[in-house]
Amino acid sequence: MKFTFEGREVTATDGQSLAGALHANGVSVLSRSPKYHRPRGYTCGFSACGNCPLTVDGMPGVLACATPARGGEDVRREQGFPGSGFDLIRSADLAKPLLPAGFQFRLFTKNPRLSSLAGTFMAVLAGGGRMPSPSAAASATVTKVVRQAAAVLVVGGGPSGLATALGAAEAGQDVVVVDRAFDGGRALVRTEPIHDAGKVVGDVREHFARLLEAARKHGNITLITGTAAGLLDGVVPVIAGRVRYELEPERVVVATGCYEVPALFANNDRPGVMLADAAVKLAELEAAPPGRRIVIATDSDRGHDVARRLTAAGCHVTAVIDSRASGGRPAEGWEVLTGLRPSKAHGWSRVRAVSFTGGTGPVKVPGDTLVLAYGRRRSEEFALHAAYTAAGSHLDVTDDNPDLPAAHLVVGTATGEMTYDTAELRRNAQARFGPDTTTHTHAVMAHRPYEGDTDAQA
């Protein structure tokens, strides 16, 4: 398929995101930082970092790494003068010692009017916050509100969410599952194993496809492709295109997954610096090698697992830099350096080499891609919202937290545990959501088309 990128035609293949297709076509700079206009590119692969907002068919702020290429789109970057590829405002990066945070307030401290004018000017230079085109705004306007009750709402349609939904449905509950895309998400590329009935799942994609097909065919399960915005007085708003669902669940299952934790070092926002899940996603799902010479930085065996995955996908891994003194595992076709952590990425618009420091002294490793395979943290925003709503500011969302409402359950990697057993989650859900609990039906309670109601539109 083909789409237009800033006036030129770009070819994409089935399964590629817009960002993945641009990466495969040699476009490494997707956006610019607001202040210094430093280049930023494909980084996380799962719309968690905000480094790939593009304007697509007149709609700004579209996170391109999570937007599938469908063909025919008009895609543009949003920042830079005269453009993001070549940006004269990047010179601000060279002058950053003269432009510290809040410099305009000190510079114009005796003239508030000039300070306000400087802020307006800087907002223009930042390049974000543009309004959508009239046609894009019209296509995204919510025109119908559907209020719907559910016995169990599952937020997250990955393997853990679907397994829990199937267990609850088999216990006789009416279940609604909300997910942005029902594409398997991060579970398809994580190196940590998923188990099923005590056995490691060999093909996660096939396993997820079976769970999704079972959920689609189950009469007690409704799948909604959309984004759950939070838990507000017992109501979960879900934006699904031009429809907004207002779900009223009795019980909520949080299956929102996890994030990767990046490393802190100079120039860690350069194009070519990416997280491990993003690199595996590019190589395995998007048919777009992350780079030609890949260096992996890690503090665990996970980095070596990522190296094997990338090598199996046809990528060239030159070195694994392990911060552990032992290095964890022997080399398997690539150099292994131990006791080192990244200190600086070199390169003006893309990584060209990476400096590491540690017990063996500083070393500079050439490469056009640095893959960071460090720790993870659970995606806990929705669970925190539920806990906060129920018990004030208490932030612990583990299952044994007495302040978390009994109606809420956290499953999968959202618990902080990176491995789980889908068969066990299914059995646990059958027991937890048994027939002795009160159920709602999926009956639609209200269809309210908008008729110029400003508050409703807001």
Side-chain angles (χ1 to χ4, degrees):
M1 67 191 80
K2 299 181 184 296
F3 63 88
T4 302
F5 174 66
E6 297 181 350
R8 67 183 178 95
E9 196 173 67
V10 171
T11 301
T13 60
D14 186 32
Q16 282 184 334
S17 65
L18 291 174
L22 292 174
H23 181 90
N25 283 272
V27 179
S28 59
V29 179
L30 299 177
S31 67
R32 295 274 175 173
S33 65
K35 185 174 182 180
Y36 298 126
H37 279 233
R38 296 160 62 90
R40 290 175 175 170
Y42 197 107
T43 304
C44 75
F46 292 93
S47 66
C49 69
N51 282 356
C52 63
L54 300 176
T55 295
V56 180
D57 293 333
M59 178 60 71
V62 176
L63 296 179
C65 69
T67 303
R70 294 187 169 88
E73 299 96 332
D74 178 46
V75 180
R76 298 180 180 276
R77 290 174 290 198
E78 299 180 348
Q79 298 156 304
F81 176 80
S84 288
F86 177 75
D87 185 2
L88 291 175
I89 310 175
R90 175 71 192 282
S91 58
D93 195 19
L94 300 175
K96 60 187 176 185
L98 304 176
L99 304 173
F103 75 95
Q104 72 274 17
F105 301 115
R106 291 189 291 274
L107 184 63
F108 302 112
T109 184
K110 295 183 179 180
N111 195 323
R113 184 171 297 178
L114 285 179
S115 178
S116 177
L117 183 62
T120 301
F121 179 67
M122 291 172 65
V124 173
L125 294 183
R130 291 185 171 86
M131 296 296 290
S133 67
S135 60
S139 66
T141 300
V142 172
T143 59
K144 184 171 66 174
V145 176
V146 176
R147 184 173 289 271
Q148 182 170 325
V152 178
L153 168 64
V154 180
V155 181
S160 64
L162 291 177
T164 304
L166 285 167
E170 289 159 357
Q173 303 294 332
D174 288 320
V175 183
V176 175
V177 185
V178 175
D179 191 82
R180 183 184 61 203
F182 288 104
D183 57 2
R186 200 181 293 274
L188 303 189
V189 300
R190 291 192 308 114
T191 56
E192 298 89 342
I194 294 176
H195 296 85
D196 185 54
K199 298 180 180 179
V200 174
V201 174
D203 190 332
V204 176
R205 275 179 273 185
E206 181 182 344
H207 183 61
F208 168 76
R210 288 198 301 268
L211 290 172
L212 182 60
E213 184 65 18
R216 282 174 172 160
K217 290 181 177 180
H218 203 291
N220 287 358
I221 297 178
T222 299
L223 304 181
I224 297 178
T225 302
T227 300
L231 181 60
L232 310 171
D233 294 327
V235 176
V236 178
V238 176
I239 305 301
R242 304 189 71 176
V243 178
R244 186 180 79 224
Y245 291 88
E246 295 181 353
L247 304 179
E248 295 182 319
E250 290 182 359
R251 300 182 176 185
V252 177
V253 175
V254 180
T256 48
C258 61
Y259 300 126
E260 291 186 273
V261 178
L264 297 178
F265 54 92
N267 297 331
N268 69 348
D269 59 348
R270 283 287 187 274
V273 177
M274 64 181 67
L275 303 182
D277 288 349
V280 176
K281 180 185 176 185
L282 279 174
E284 293 185 351
L285 304 184
E286 304 213 56
R292 289 187 289 272
R293 301 185 67 189
I294 300 172
V295 178
I296 298 176
T298 188
D299 60 356
S300 67
D301 287 349
R302 178 172 170 241
H304 302 265
D305 294 335
V306 170
R308 287 201 299 274
R309 291 273 290 264
L310 293 177
T311 301
C315 301
H316 179 45
V317 176
T318 62
V320 174
I321 316 298
D322 197 320
S323 63
R324 298 174 296 179
S326 64
R329 295 182 181 181
E332 301 181 31
W334 48 79
E335 183 180 13
V336 174
L337 301 177
T338 61
L340 299 169
R341 293 186 66 88
S343 58
K344 184 177 182 179
H346 303 276
W348 179 248
S349 60
R350 183 183 172 88
V351 171
R352 301 300 177 195
V354 184
S355 289
F356 293 84
T357 57
T360 59
V363 60
K364 190 174 182 179
V365 181
D368 64 356
T369 303
L370 174 63
V371 174
L372 304 176
Y374 289 96
R376 298 184 185 275
R377 59 174 290 266
R378 60 191 180 190
S379 174
E380 58 193 358
E381 296 87 350
F382 196 94
L384 289 175
H385 198 179
Y388 187 91
T389 300
S393 60
H394 194 83
L395 299 182
D396 184 9
V397 294
T398 56
D399 282 344
D400 58 356
N401 170 22
D403 292 332
L404 188 66
H408 303 330
L409 173 67
V410 184
V411 300
T413 57
T415 64
E417 297 293 331
M418 293 302 118
T419 62
Y420 54 84
D421 189 305
T422 51
E424 182 179 352
L425 289 176
R426 197 164 175 169
R427 289 194 302 271
N428 290 345
Q430 288 176 341
R432 188 181 185 102
F433 303 111
D436 56 325
T437 59
T438 304
T439 63
H440 279 204
T441 66
H442 281 164
V444 172
M445 298 178 65
H447 287 272
R448 302 203 309 272
Y450 287 136
E451 298 177 355
D453 184 340
T454 304
D455 290 336
Q457 289 178 8

